[in-house]
Amino acid sequence: MKKIVMKFGGTSVASGENIRYVANLITNYVSQGYTIVAVISALEGVTDKLIEASEQAKKGNRNYIYEFKKEIIEKHLTATRKAVENKPIREEIEQTLKTTIDELEKVLTGIIYVGELTPKSRDYVLSFGERLSTSIVWGTLRDLGLNAQYYTGKDVGIVTDSNFGEASPLMNVTKHQVKEKIEPLLEKGIVPVVTGYIAATQDGVNTTLGRGGSDYTATIIGAALDVDEVWIWTDVDGLMTSDPKIVSSAKKMPELSFQEATEMTIFGARAMHPRALEPAMEENIPVRIRNVFNPENLGTLIVEEQRIKPGDIVKAITLVKDVALVNVSGAGMIGAPGTAAKVFDVLGRENINILMISQSVSEANISFMIQRKLLERTVNALEIALLGRGLIREVTAEDDVCVVAVVGAGMRGTPGVASRIFSAIALRGINIRMIAQGSSELNISFVVEETDGEEAVRAIHEEFKLDKI
Ligand code: ASP
Ligand code: MG
């Protein structure tokens, strides 16, 4: 029978009722003979609250921490009362939650005393969200008669580097340790319930895998155990051909490749942690995105070898907002090796991430896209570092733009895709400001005025008849 890692996050564990519902779902799969490892995220909104609390602690805001503690206790106790019916189990979980929150309060008090919040102590604070939620799910599963056991990511052997806030797993050690730890449990019929998002360095110091990191935990464990599939349970039916708020006829995609999914997560489809597909890709483990509230629907399956159907050219279109276009120009750039390196070096040093790049063969200008909130810093940094040195004459910027990204593995080697995209855009009278296509040919991205963005997405969706797929 199938071995599955299931990750539950966001709204699927938003309340006690939902936790009970999720626990029933897990129990059903177990009784059908599935072997399951459950990975749990923090209750909805809790990670954001922990971030705010750690900031307030740094500022010495004792009142805030006092109120925060009351709120966080109440939220988790309420959920427990709704989720766990058996009295002794419920009391045990309530006690665990209280002890855990006392520990959290001590950490926050420590931050108040030293008046300093290091990335390390911040990760310690953030680890509490998953510790609390997972305890409740664990209690609920036991209440339903399942032989479940609670573990943190650290307990099961997920080891990372010490890049706090965005730590990377050391996959070789991790895979070995997770296998050693979890396999004997599964053989004994135990259902491990594991905190998502949190892990530890080799010295045992708490780390987190970056926002949305529970997905990553799930695929790391999945890779270590060589499971049949990893299921990411969320509150949508799967990945869509486009945002249904923009294109009302948008459809769920039944299947796509790891590469296509990677292009989509990068371009803000936000369905998953951007790096979560890596471990799955490496071990070739299919990942399924499914709706916890609609389990009859099989969701979207992400696989290595996606079957390209004839006519399957463009798969999905995303609109990326809150971006800005920066243009660096000057005749001195022509034929001058190292110009691009200088420009990007400045951005790298300023920690500014580039979303998209284009340079025409005339070499007289380089255009790139960044997050809009970084615009002022970007222009300043470039002007200070590069202007008046004969190379660059001007740095200009536009912030009323957006990126349309068109994704699909069938685009590769298919002539005429770009022409169809741009004709569809032209027919609607929309002007294109900048274009980029990587040589992977999986993605064509272009920039239009912000007010034209949604219309451009609809035009392409219609041109490739994505509502009929
Ligand atoms: N709780 C963490 C976050 O909100 C991790 C996750 O939800 O996957 O980012
Ligand atoms: Mg989350």
Side-chain angles (χ1 to χ4, degrees):
M1 214 34 197
K2 288 207 159 153
K3 203 197 267 182
I4 309 280
V5 175
M6 295 187 179
K7 176 256 173 174
F8 297 89
T11 46
S12 67
V13 289
S15 65
E17 286 92 341
N18 288 5
I19 290 176
R20 179 99 189 158
Y21 173 87
V22 158
N24 267 310
L25 190 87
I26 296 173
T27 310
N28 278 338
Y29 277 107
V30 172
S31 58
Q32 287 168 42
Y34 282 80
T35 300
I36 292 173
V37 178
V39 173
I40 314 294
S41 301
L43 299 194
E44 200 180 24
V46 168
T47 305
D48 289 329
K49 290 209 169 83
L50 288 166
I51 292 176
E52 185 57 29
S54 59
E55 291 297 330
Q56 294 296 335
K58 180 173 101 179
K59 290 183 192 147
N61 194 343
R62 273 173 206 276
N63 262 335
Y64 187 95
I65 301 307
Y66 176 77
E67 292 298 328
F68 168 76
K69 181 188 175 187
K70 280 207 302 205
E71 187 192 339
I72 212 86
I73 284 212
E74 205 34 55
K75 187 176 176 79
H76 289 87
L77 289 185
T78 309
T80 307
R81 283 192 286 264
K82 296 247 165 66
V84 188
E85 281 167 11
N86 175 294
K87 197 158 173 249
I89 298 181
R90 188 172 62 228
E91 283 171 357
E92 184 198 322
I93 299 298
E94 285 170 352
Q95 195 45 52
T96 306
L97 295 175
K98 283 180 191 149
T99 316
T100 309
I101 290 172
D102 282 341
E103 183 188 333
L104 169 61
E105 187 188 19
K106 286 198 191 107
V107 180
L108 290 168
T109 310
I111 294 170
I112 292 178
Y113 274 114
V114 293
E116 184 186 59
L117 179 65
T118 61
K120 187 171 169 178
S121 50
R122 190 169 180 269
D123 267 4
Y124 189 11
V125 173
L126 292 186
S127 74
F128 283 88
E130 270 69 11
R131 288 167 61 189
L132 295 167
S133 64
T134 306
S135 301
I136 305 176
V137 175
W138 170 56
T140 316
L141 287 171
R142 281 163 59 214
D143 186 16
L144 293 170
L146 219 60
N147 187 4
Q149 255 167 45
Y150 167 97
Y151 299 98
T152 62
K154 171 170 152 183
D155 295 338
V156 296
I158 303 179
V159 181
T160 68
D161 59 17
S162 49
N163 184 17
F164 297 102
E166 198 77 49
S168 293
L170 308 176
M171 274 314 273
N172 285 334
V173 207
T174 296
K175 274 200 278 193
H176 177 75
Q177 295 193 148
V178 169
K179 204 171 151 75
E180 291 240 298
K181 179 77 195 187
I182 298 186
E183 261 177 6
L185 301 170
L186 298 179
E187 268 154 35
K188 283 187 226 145
I190 293 168
V191 177
V193 194
V194 186
T195 60
Y197 185 48
I198 58 181
T201 65
Q202 264 165 320
D203 305 327
V205 180
N206 268 300
T207 54
T208 63
L209 302 171
R211 293 307 305 272
S214 304
D215 298 331
Y216 209 179
T217 305
T219 54
I220 292 167
I221 294 177
L225 300 176
D226 195 23
V227 295
D228 294 294
E229 287 182 11
V230 173
W231 292 356
I232 307 289
W233 289 101
T234 94
D235 54 2
V236 292
D237 281 342
L239 296 176
M240 306 286 286
T241 53
S242 196
D243 183 346
K245 281 186 228 115
I246 299 174
V247 185
S248 55
S249 60
K251 285 261 160 10
K252 184 202 80 175
M253 291 178 274
E255 198 174 294
L256 72 167
S257 69
F258 283 126
Q259 277 194 320
E260 288 173 327
T262 306
E263 300 276 355
M264 292 192 56
T265 49
I266 289 169
F267 280 95
R270 294 226 170 202
M272 263 185 113
H273 183 287
R275 292 176 59 199
L277 286 175
E278 277 172 24
M281 259 162 114
E282 228 149 84
E283 302 293 323
N284 193 11
I285 294 166
V287 176
R288 199 183 278 280
I289 299 178
R290 317 187 51 167
N291 188 347
V292 78
F293 304 112
N294 186 15
E296 281 76 45
N297 192 313
L298 291 178
T300 297
L301 185 67
I302 309 174
V303 281
E304 177 159 61
E305 271 306 314
Q306 137 278 1
R307 284 152 272 169
I308 300 174
K309 291 190 263 67
D312 217 8
I313 303 171
V314 167
K315 272 252 174 90
I317 309 149
T318 17
L319 184 62
V320 188
K321 292 190 191 151
D322 301 319
V323 290
L325 190 158
V326 180
N327 188 37
V328 178
S329 59
M333 291 162 65
I334 301 172
T339 314
K342 281 191 191 105
V343 170
F344 298 133
D345 180 51
V346 172
L347 302 179
R349 270 186 279 125
E350 282 287 320
N351 221 349
I352 291 163
N353 189 35
I354 304 166
L355 302 170
M356 183 176 163
I357 307 173
S358 138
Q359 180 191 273
S360 74
V361 74
S362 80
E363 298 180 53
N365 64 70
I366 298 176
S367 306
F368 56 88
M369 302 295 296
I370 50 164
Q371 278 186 295
R372 193 175 294 164
K373 61 175 189 228
L374 302 177
L375 182 57
E376 215 185 294
R377 197 144 68 79
T378 305
V379 173
N380 286 343
L382 287 170
E383 287 184 344
I384 290 167
L386 301 173
L387 281 190
R389 312 213 167 158
L391 207 56
I392 281 156
R393 196 174 44 85
E394 202 180 23
V395 179
T396 54
E398 288 165 51
D399 64 358
D400 55 348
V401 290
C402 59
V403 178
V404 178
V406 185
V407 177
M411 286 160 57
R412 184 186 309 159
T414 308
V417 181
S419 120
R420 281 177 69 187
I421 292 174
F422 296 128
S423 303
I425 298 300
L427 276 176
R428 311 255 177 150
I430 298 171
N431 182 37
I432 297 173
R433 318 295 295 270
M434 172 181 167
I435 303 176
Q437 178 189 272
S439 58
S440 75
E441 295 186 42
L442 250 64
N443 183 319
I444 294 180
S445 307
F446 58 91
V447 176
V448 295
E449 252 176 51
E450 188 150 48
T451 46
D452 291 331
E454 299 200 348
E455 189 61 19
V457 171
R458 283 192 285 266
I460 302 166
H461 204 272
E462 210 166 274
E463 168 64 27
F464 290 90
K465 301 196 170 45
L466 298 189
D467 55 334
K468 302 273 168 8
I469 283 166

